Amino acid sequence: KRLYENRIMINMGKLFFLIGASGSGKTTAAKILENKRIPNLQVCYFDSIGVPSSQQMIKRHGSVDEWQLAKTIEWAKKIKDNYLQTNNVVLDGQTRPIFIEEACKKGKVDSYEIILFDCKDEIRNQRIIARGNPELANDTMTSWANYLRKECIERGLKVIDTSKISIEQSVSRLLAIIKRVTSNI
């Protein structure tokens, strides 16, 4: 989106929400992308704000969902205010597409895209266990992954299936999507 401000043309960046269940490869891909130091591309991590326990989320926001919505709104506003004037941004996190849509509407983020990193359940569980978080290889995480997959497919969003590809191939596919829809990378 182009805005004219004091006769200087400014290209507004695009916000890419990189979502997926734990073990899908999204954070590893985001870190590799960040290490590439691509001009005009900022990488942010949803969890860098700290993720309280479910009990704390409920106490502060009424439910886990309301916490997730509130934090998605905060992130969209923070990114718009601090980065989108000059950069494209990838936000790595676990949030619902409907929350992203609401956050972007409330935060007046007009240019955004949702990309799901997904994989087969057994592969995700193997990855989670291998990285030392066996407590996350459970039915709740499987349900979350299935929900995200269903929502993203129904909405016609981009899905990168990382089940049978290397992390480098996952990053290449992510970067190809970003380059296809931006003009300044």
Side-chain angles (χ1 to χ4, degrees):
K1 189 171 196 178
R2 296 176 189 268
L3 297 176
Y4 291 88
E5 197 172 278
N6 297 330
R7 297 181 196 219
I8 298 172
M9 190 172 68
I10 300 172
N11 283 320
M12 295 294 288
K14 186 166 189 147
L15 175 51
F16 296 88
F17 289 88
L18 179 57
I19 65 171
S22 294
S24 64
K26 69 186 176 320
T27 302
T28 302
K31 287 178 182 177
I32 291 170
L33 200 59
E34 182 178 33
N35 288 335
K36 288 182 178 287
R37 302 191 192 293
I38 299 168
N40 302 314
L41 184 65
Q42 175 73 37
V43 179
C44 298
Y45 300 91
F46 196 102
D47 289 354
S48 68
I49 59 173
V51 180
S53 68
S54 297
Q55 293 81 9
Q56 291 172 322
M57 291 177 192
I58 292 166
K59 183 177 177 183
R60 292 182 193 150
H61 295 276
S63 71
V64 172
D65 288 349
E66 288 300 318
W67 177 88
Q68 190 182 76
L69 173 60
K71 296 308 170 185
T72 304
I73 291 169
E74 284 178 30
W75 266 114
K77 181 176 177 3
K78 178 181 178 178
I79 288 170
K80 181 174 188 232
D81 292 348
N82 295 301
Y83 302 112
L84 287 182
Q85 292 76 21
T86 56
N87 290 303
N88 297 290
V89 177
V90 172
L91 176 61
D92 158 60
Q94 294 190 46
T95 190
R96 290 165 173 72
I98 195 165
F99 291 173
I100 292 168
E101 292 163 2
E102 186 171 340
C104 289
K105 183 177 179 181
K106 285 185 176 182
K108 297 184 171 106
V109 175
D110 298 321
S111 185
Y112 70 93
E113 190 150 341
I114 302 168
I115 303 164
L116 174 68
F117 261 40
D118 192 27
C119 63
K120 295 187 183 309
D121 296 336
E122 57 275 3
I123 291 171
R124 186 184 55 261
N125 287 337
Q126 290 169 3
R127 291 174 181 171
I128 290 170
I129 291 166
R131 75 176 190 207
N133 298 108
E135 71 282 1
L136 295 177
N138 59 38
D139 290 341
T140 301
M141 191 61 67
T142 298
S143 294
W144 173 239
N146 290 333
Y147 166 81
L148 288 174
R149 183 180 309 118
K150 180 179 177 284
E151 284 295 305
C152 290
I153 290 169
E154 285 179 0
R155 293 176 185 297
L157 302 173
K158 295 198 174 38
V159 177
I160 298 174
D161 186 342
T162 65
S163 298
K164 296 180 181 179
I165 60 175
S166 70
I167 191 62
E168 291 79 14
Q169 290 169 313
S170 299
V171 172
S172 291
R173 290 183 186 182
L174 174 60
L175 194 51
I177 292 169
I178 292 169
K179 286 181 176 181
R180 219 175 295 138
V181 295
T182 59
S183 60
N184 61 349
I185 290 186

